[in-house]
Amino acid sequence: MPDIPENPFLDTLITRQRAEPCTMVIFGATGDLTNRKLIPALYNLAASSDLPTQFKVVGFARREKSDEEFRKELEEGNKKFSRQGHSNELWGSFAQSIHYHRSEFTDAAGYAELKNVLDKFDAERGTPANRLFYLATAPEFFSVVLEQLAAAGLNEPPAGKWARVVCEKPFGTDLASAQRLNKIVGEVFHERDTYRIDHYLGKETAQNLMVLRFANEIFEPLWNSRYIDNVQITCAENLGMEGGRGGYYDTSGALRDMVQSHLFQLLSLVAMEPPTDLSADSIRDEKVKVIRSLRHLTSPEDVAANVVRAQYTAGVVDGVERPGYRQEDRINPQSNTESYVALRLKIDTWRWQGVPFYMRVGKQLPKKATEISLQFKQPPQNLFKTNEVQGGQNALVIRIQPDEGISLRMISKQPGVMLRMQPVKMDFHYNTSFGKASPEAYERLLLDAMAGDATLFARNDEVEHAWRYIDIVENAWHGAGKQPPMCEYPAGSWGPREADELLSADGRSWRRI
Ligand code: BG6
């Protein structure tokens, strides 16, 4: 694909106009997310001069700590996790905007005191500030934090300003809990001020999906059941339960942790109709239609025929011996939680009639790779009855991560006097075409939240429709008296045999990554 010339001026202009001065309050600020993602993202925004002027961030958490201690801990995290490295000088000035506020999440006095702190910042600035409340606590604390924010009047912005809330995932654990949560959030903040984060939407290539589809003329005419045989979405991770994640993961599993959120978001971007414009609601209207159109599975047998669940057993990943899922730290040795899931989905829309969407997601697979692949139909006639071309189907592959890019596979004649054919690839790599690394998803998403652009955040109905689909599968697995089989795969393999059979039953196979 041709390289697109960079326009750094336009780039900076757009970003600078967007970010609005504000104070961000992070609830649960001593957790891993703040250290690993949020502060490095803010630091990188500061490094590229995209943070609004007079920006402040306040960490709200239960442990006793001074501003200085908090800054020191975050500095260590930033050294490890910052995308653009760590400069002592920049950190020195950025860290002055970081503050710590100790309080229990349930303590009304702590919120009243927070209000005083925010008012004090306003007085120093000489103007009231916008407020961005970030819920990075365990989900069970969301409701109490929201109630307390409302009780302290912190959800009411100062005149002419805004107050917004960002909710980390998971947003609920099933439909009922997501509905309850939506109701509680809705009582405290307007939907337009509610930002349900799904960091996959902040990934550069996920954003590029719409550009690829709707800013080019060549793909969209082919983007339908007439030309596409099947769509495959793979999200492979070569990690297991490192870093103490087992406790949370074992209560969740691959279906809830990844499919309900990240994979359904990618699915909706790839399958949606063109929006009427680029407003957040026009785009989200189209995305939600895809999730609503997913054909629901109707019985446990239907679930068993279309969904494979599995756990890894001991194996070798990247040359390192790994324990099985049930032997991992903080995992119940009898756990019935899946670390891998593969699904066959149908979307009941005009465009996608008869096209299966296959998804697979798992831990301890051979490599980290997220990609979407549109597998095209074969030509109507096999004119070249020469050699059989292995893996010869045309495919448009969108690599979400790593090595972000897009490739198009086609069949070509091998040079020589004989007519022999082989698949070749046209390949576009972000790094080489644009010569700069993509920002981290959280950088983009935090900036959008400060700018009031909810396009890359999930709307209340989107989340609920996703849970409707997931609940049916979860109920078939865990409903009273049910104990469907758990398949197995060795760590370091591409998943269980049953996932291959899901596709071979349709005369297809997973794309080799
Ligand atoms: C999180 C999941 O949302 O996404 C994790 O809870 C998963 O289980 C992670 O590892 C993957 O994110 P990324 O950006 O590393 O692909």
Side-chain angles (χ1 to χ4, degrees), residues 142-360:
F142 280 17
S143 50
V144 66
V145 172
L146 287 162
E147 280 157 19
Q148 293 291 352
L149 282 174
L154 281 162
N155 58 334
E156 305 285 352
K161 301 291 168 186
W162 48 255
R164 298 183 185 135
V165 65
V166 181
C167 306
E168 251 306 321
K169 83 174 263 274
F171 197 85
T173 52
D174 55 13
L175 176 61
S177 57
Q179 283 174 327
R180 269 198 307 278
L181 204 47
N182 271 335
K183 186 163 177 293
I184 295 166
V185 180
E187 281 162 3
V188 180
F189 289 94
H190 293 291
E191 179 59 27
R192 64 166 186 272
D193 293 321
T194 304
Y195 292 72
R196 295 171 195 79
I197 217 160
D198 186 310
H199 77 280
Y200 267 53
L201 286 176
K203 291 185 190 277
E204 196 68 51
T205 333
Q207 294 168 47
N208 193 34
L209 252 167
M210 280 216 300
V211 177
L212 174 80
R213 291 190 54 194
F214 306 131
N216 292 295
E217 181 58 7
I218 54 174
F219 300 116
E220 201 49 26
L222 309 178
W223 211 274
N224 55 53
S225 62
R226 184 142 178 231
Y227 296 100
I228 292 176
D229 177 76
N230 71 92
V231 179
Q232 301 187 8
I233 304 181
T234 299
C235 185
E237 289 185 82
N238 53 359
L239 292 176
M241 298 296 118
E242 294 83 349
R245 303 203 73 242
Y248 151 73
Y249 193 85
D250 208 32
T251 61
S252 169
L255 186 72
R256 286 188 177 126
D257 181 48
M258 295 292 288
V259 178
Q260 186 275 339
S261 48
H262 308 324
L263 269 76
F264 274 9
Q265 288 294 339
L266 295 180
L267 173 78
S268 57
L269 287 172
V270 83
M272 70 192 262
E273 296 301 319
T276 46
D277 56 44
L278 288 184
S279 71
D281 272 334
S282 297
I283 292 172
R284 296 189 297 180
D285 284 347
E286 296 307 330
K287 280 170 59 208
V288 84
K289 280 187 211 162
V290 174
I291 308 296
R292 271 176 50 198
S293 308
L294 281 174
R295 188 180 304 168
H296 281 191
L297 301 169
T298 52
S299 63
E301 294 71 33
D302 208 8
V303 170
N306 288 285
V307 190
V308 173
R309 65 203 285 264
Q311 273 179 354
Y312 55 85
T313 54
V316 177
V317 184
D318 292 332
V320 179
E321 287 196 18
R322 302 291 328 182
Y325 179 73
R326 292 183 184 180
Q327 288 78 53
E328 291 268 29
D329 184 29
R330 303 201 201 175
I331 300 291
N332 174 352
Q334 270 95 45
S335 173
N336 190 27
T337 301
E338 77 288 350
S339 61
Y340 175 102
V341 65
L343 304 97
R344 180 198 293 115
L345 300 137
K346 298 277 171 60
I347 301 177
D348 279 329
T349 58
W350 187 289
R351 184 190 285 263
W352 295 117
Q353 264 323 295
V355 180
F357 283 70
Y358 301 107
M359 281 182 177
R360 57 180 165 164

